[in-house]
Each structure stands twice: as C-alpha cells, then as structure tokens.
Amino acid sequence: MGRILTVFILIASLLVPPSAWAKEPATPELTLNQAIAMALEHSEAVKKAEKEIDRTYKLREESADQLDYVPTAPPGNKYVEMAWAKLLTADLTWRMAKKNLTAEQDEVALDACRKYWDVLVAQEKVRVAEAGLQKADWDVRRARVSFLVGMIPQADLLAAESQLAGAKAALEAAKNDLDNAYASFNQLVGLWPQDRPVLVDGVNFAPLEVPDVNVEVGRIVSESPTVWLANEKVTLQKYLEDMMFYTGEYRPYEARKIEVEQAELDAASAKKMLEEVTRSLYYNAKSLEESYRSLQEGVKTAEENLRVTKVKYDVGMATRAEVAAAEAALAQARQKALEAACQHAYLKLAFEKPWAYISLAVAGGSGTGGGASGSTQGR
C-alpha cells in the first residue's frame, strides 16, 4: 500500500506545472521605520556586535578577578602592573564594544534609509523611461507619416527610429536598475531577492535647520564613537605612563611618554577628520537645498506646460506626440526632484551620524551599500 501511495504522489507531482513550485514574489507594504527595524533584526554585524559585548565583559571580569584590590604599592611591582594594565585594557575594550554596537546600529539604519530611497528613485526612473518610450513611439509614427507624404527626408525617419530603439534600451536598463535596487534592499532587510515590497513612505523635503553650525559640529563630534575611543586611548596611555613593567619587561619612561603623545596626536587627528567630514555634509546639504528649489520650479513649469498642451490637444491645436513629449518632460522633472530630495534626506541623516556615513563609504564606496549584512532568505 505504501509503495502504491508513493507512486501516486510521484505521478501527481509530475502533473503540476514547474511554475507552481516557484516562489511567488511577496509584496508587503513597508514604511521606512519598518524597513530599518527589519534591517537591524537581520544584520549579522549587529548580532556580532551584541555578542562582542558579552565576550569582552567576560574577559573584563576575568581580569578583574585577578586584582581583588586597587594597587596602592609604589610603581615597580611587575606582576601587579601587568595585571592592572590588563584590567584597564579589558575594561576599555568592553566599553568600546558597547559603543561599537551603537555605531553598527547607526550604520545599518543609515544604509536601510539609503537603499529604501534608492528603490523609490529607481521606480521613478522606470516611469521616466516609459514616458520616454511613449514619446519616441509617437515621434516615429509622426515621422513615418511625414516621410510618406514627402515632408521629411529618410534620414529624419531613421533618426526617429533610432531614438525609439534607444528608448526601448533605456527602459530595459531602468528596469534592470530597479531590480538591482530591490535586490540590494531585500538583502539588507531579509527578504527574498525576487520580492517586491511596496514602499509606502515618500520623502518629505525639509531644510536642514542648524542654529549654530560650529556648536552642532562640536556636539556631533563629541558623540562620535571613533573620537571617544581615541580620547580613551589617551587616558589609558596616561595610566600606563606610570607603569614601568606593564608589558612584562622594563619600558623606559621616555618611551612611555612618547606613547602618550602619539595617542594625543591620534585623538587630534580623529577629531579633525570627523569635523571636516561633518562640515562637508552640512554644506553639501545646504547647497542641495538651493538646487532643489530650482528643480521644484522646473516641476511646476512642466506641469503647467502639460496642462496647456492637453487643452490644445482637446481643441485640435496640438498633436498626441506633443502631449507625450510634455508628459515625458514632466516625468523627468519629477524624477530629478525626487532624486535630489532623497539625496538631501540622506545627507541630513549622515550629518547627524557622520561615523556611520564614513563607515559605509569605506566599506562599499559612495555608490553602494556596505557595512551591514542581512539574510537573503529572511522568512
């Protein structure tokens, strides 16, 4: 009986079309905050940072157990200095692990925002390509009729047909870019590559308001995990400066003093670099605000031009090709404005968390995401 049932199941499976076994793309609605939460949940870097806190805490406690009192003996006790230096280093490592977790979370959140907006921009580019194809199609129709009645030479007809072929290629390229944007976003938030989540949040353009840029830059830099770590290393080296045998062998005072000075130079360099990046992000955002205003005016002009062209078309004073051209111009204007709004929103977030911005740029370059891992098969 069991053998018959097995044969029946095998035959039934052969009758099912292959497409029935394929996974249907999921289309969940996602807000930006939901996408960030999913990215944090699926980030291997965040999970690793969480485990690092536990690991370094255990090591710190082990080091603390080796010193059940605060050393008050004068410098020179080799074993006490070694144990004390080990505890100081373990404590700094543990505290830095906690800072690093926050930094990883900031990086993943910033990356999720960027990839969310990348999908929105890619979708808009597909709409632009579709409008461009429609315009090119109408241009070819008009060119063919004009050529038949002798109004244009064959070269003009060939040029119109070439533009149509180019428009078709541009649409395919835009669709591929959209697929790529979805794949990158889906990997980060833990969806399947073929899923097509519906991103319900748009981008509300709001200027970056900073009463005093110097004060704000100072605040942001002081909160930076990298600057904090550099300053803590200075403190550590100052402690070690008074220990002659903390490495297990004698270290001359002048060498220990130089190590403090080197740590201070590293801290100053880290602060200077982050201040420079933060100010650059601020001024780039402010410059983009001026460009966005111009792009918004371009959208209004294109909308009015389309409205007038449609009115003319209704009364027979404009052709369908002219309407398609006006629609394509409006689609392009909207796409440029959306792209600028997304870039501005990203710069605003990067200004608040420049360490996350730097980490993403180092890990993946300016055009790709990096620094955060997500499962590609999250459900």
Side-chain angles (χ1 to χ4, degrees):
M1 180 64 182
R3 183 177 300 175
I4 296 175
L5 181 60
T6 301
V7 173
F8 175 77
I9 294 175
L10 177 61
I11 295 174
S13 66
L14 295 175
L15 297 176
V16 178
S19 60
W21 292 98
K23 176 188 175 297
E24 289 295 325
T27 57
E29 291 189 352
L30 292 181
T31 65
L32 182 58
N33 286 336
Q34 287 173 331
I36 293 172
M38 291 173 65
L40 290 171
E41 180 183 354
H42 289 89
S43 171
E44 294 171 357
V46 170
K47 294 175 182 177
K48 182 179 178 181
E50 291 172 341
K51 291 182 179 298
E52 183 66 4
I53 294 176
D54 296 335
R55 187 186 75 87
T56 54
Y57 179 75
K58 297 298 184 183
L59 293 175
R60 178 190 179 278
E61 290 300 290
E62 176 64 23
S63 297
D65 289 342
Q66 297 177 21
L67 276 175
D68 56 358
Y69 65 94
V70 176
T72 58
N77 187 316
K78 173 180 176 180
Y79 298 103
V80 170
E81 287 190 2
M82 289 174 59
W84 185 235
K86 184 178 179 181
L87 175 58
L88 291 174
T89 304
D91 181 71
L92 175 59
T93 304
W94 169 61
R95 289 185 291 122
M96 187 54 208
K98 293 191 290 184
K99 285 279 187 179
N100 185 61
L101 172 60
T102 301
E104 287 289 352
Q105 291 170 334
D106 290 339
E107 182 180 341
V108 171
L110 184 62
D111 200 25
C113 291
R114 179 173 61 181
K115 289 178 178 177
Y116 189 99
W117 294 326
D118 282 349
V119 172
L120 296 182
V121 171
Q123 290 174 335
E124 196 67 25
K125 287 183 177 179
V126 169
R127 285 189 279 269
V128 169
E130 290 172 342
L133 178 59
Q134 188 176 27
K135 172 186 176 299
D137 182 63
W138 280 105
D139 286 344
V140 166
R141 295 185 189 187
R142 182 174 59 181
R144 286 171 179 168
V145 172
S146 298
F147 175 73
L148 289 176
V149 298
M151 294 178 62
I152 62 171
Q154 187 177 20
D156 289 352
L157 173 60
L158 294 176
E161 291 176 340
S162 177
Q163 290 179 351
L164 177 61
K168 290 179 179 179
L171 178 57
E172 290 304 312
K175 289 180 178 179
N176 287 334
D177 289 344
L178 177 58
D179 289 339
N180 187 42
Y182 263 124
S184 183
F185 173 77
N186 290 349
Q187 181 182 17
L188 185 67
V189 301
L191 296 175
W192 292 80
Q194 63 268 37
D195 288 342
R196 291 297 176 264
V198 179
L199 309 186
V200 298
D201 282 344
V203 180
N204 295 323
F205 185 90
L208 176 59
E209 301 291 346
V210 177
D212 189 320
V213 65
N214 293 323
V215 173
E216 191 66 9
V217 168
R219 179 192 66 81
I220 291 170
V221 170
S222 66
E223 295 177 357
S224 165
T226 54
V227 172
W228 176 89
L229 176 60
N231 290 331
E232 287 296 307
K233 286 183 176 179
V234 173
T235 303
L236 176 61
Q237 287 302 136
K238 287 182 177 179
Y239 279 127
L240 299 179
E241 185 181 8
D242 295 329
M243 302 181 190
M244 295 180 288
F245 298 99
Y246 72 88
T247 61
E249 58 185 28
Y250 175 74
R251 295 177 67 82
Y253 173 75
E254 287 300 321
R256 288 176 274 140
K257 182 180 178 181
I258 292 174
E259 288 172 350
V260 173
E261 294 170 350
Q262 289 176 325
E264 290 174 339
L265 290 172
D266 288 340
S269 178
K271 182 179 179 181
K272 181 179 178 181
M273 185 273 291
L274 194 65
E275 284 180 346
E276 182 179 350
V277 171
T278 307
R279 288 181 186 276
S280 177
L281 289 168
Y282 171 79
Y283 290 117
N284 285 341
K286 299 306 289 185
S287 297
L288 196 57
E289 289 173 12
E290 297 300 324
S291 300
Y292 182 76
R293 294 187 183 96
S294 176
L295 292 171
Q296 280 294 90
E297 290 301 319
V299 171
K300 293 178 181 178
T301 300
E303 289 174 340
E304 178 62 16
N305 182 56
L306 176 59
R307 185 190 69 80
V308 172
T309 304
K310 284 183 175 180
V311 171
K312 289 182 177 180
Y313 176 75
D314 291 339
V315 297
M317 296 178 62
T319 65
R320 185 64 186 83
E322 291 173 323
V323 173
E327 291 172 340
L330 176 57
Q332 288 180 342
R334 286 176 173 170
Q335 182 264 316
K336 290 179 181 178
L338 174 63
E339 193 166 7
C342 291
Q343 184 181 358
H344 181 264
Y346 180 72
L347 288 175
K348 285 176 62 178
L349 293 178
F351 173 72
E352 286 293 330
K353 309 288 185 181
W355 50 88
Y357 169 82
I358 293 172
S359 183
L360 284 174
V362 170
S366 59
T368 59
S373 300
S375 170
T376 60
Q377 299 180 4
R379 291 190 308 282

